[in-house]
Amino acid sequence: MGAAVKVVAHYPTASWQEDGLAGAAFSRTGPLREIHDMSGPDGEPAALFGFAHARTVRPGFEQVVAAQLARLFGPAADSPAAPHVQDWSGEQWTAPSTVEHLADYSLFGHPLFQRPALDGSLHWASTETATDHAGHVEGALASGERAARAVLAAPADVNDTARDIIAPSR
């Protein structure tokens, strides 16, 4: 996520749902490249979120995002009640100093990150450990399924040790 900006736009209502829109889009014409509806059940709370590259953030970024959301989801999307912008490139623990030049994801899915640790009691599961769709939610889901299968297939003594660590008996 080092070169990414995540934007969450909170609204009083999910007007796009009322208009029959899914709240999902991929765009090449605005700062947000990928947008999803993250509203709760029945549209409450109402929110859209999207990802932009960190290099697109400049003064007026929130207004440009609101205009893009209005073009995609109707005029009511032009005025989020609360826009939240998380620029991961400015975070110490998620962004290397050269993050704006990061285009190499060759370590994603590396076999080293798929090996369990702590004598088999710790399994890594994240989008970065995925062999397919790394960097996306699909990769995270596949990685979680891979780790779950590994835990279920592990010898009983490893799973017993893991259970003791996670939920010690009283």
Side-chain angles (χ1 to χ4, degrees), residues 104-124:
D104 178 14
Y105 296 98
S106 61
L107 290 178
F108 280 22
H110 192 282
L112 175 66
F113 303 128
Q114 295 175 17
R115 285 190 220 137
L118 300 174
D119 296 320
S121 61
L122 176 63
H123 292 262
W124 305 107

Side-chain angles (χ1 to χ4, degrees), residues 24-113:
F26 289 93
S27 175
R28 297 289 180 216
T29 60
L32 298 180
R33 296 300 186 109
E34 179 179 341
I35 304 161
H36 301 277
D37 186 342
M38 69 176 277
S39 302
D42 301 320
E44 296 285 331
L48 294 167
F49 85 91
F51 296 105
H53 196 283
R55 69 176 167 254
T56 64
V57 177
R58 51 185 55 98
F61 177 76
E62 289 182 13
Q63 291 78 17
V64 173
V65 166
Q68 179 186 15
L69 293 173
R71 282 192 312 274
L72 294 168
F73 303 108
D78 187 36
S79 302
H84 306 280
V85 177
Q86 176 61 53
D87 184 350
W88 292 106
S89 71
E91 296 294 323
Q92 176 183 2
W93 303 110
T94 59
S97 61
T98 58
V99 70
E100 62 276 356
H101 304 295
L102 183 62
D104 178 14
Y105 296 98
S106 61
L107 290 178
F108 280 22
H110 192 282
L112 175 66
F113 303 128

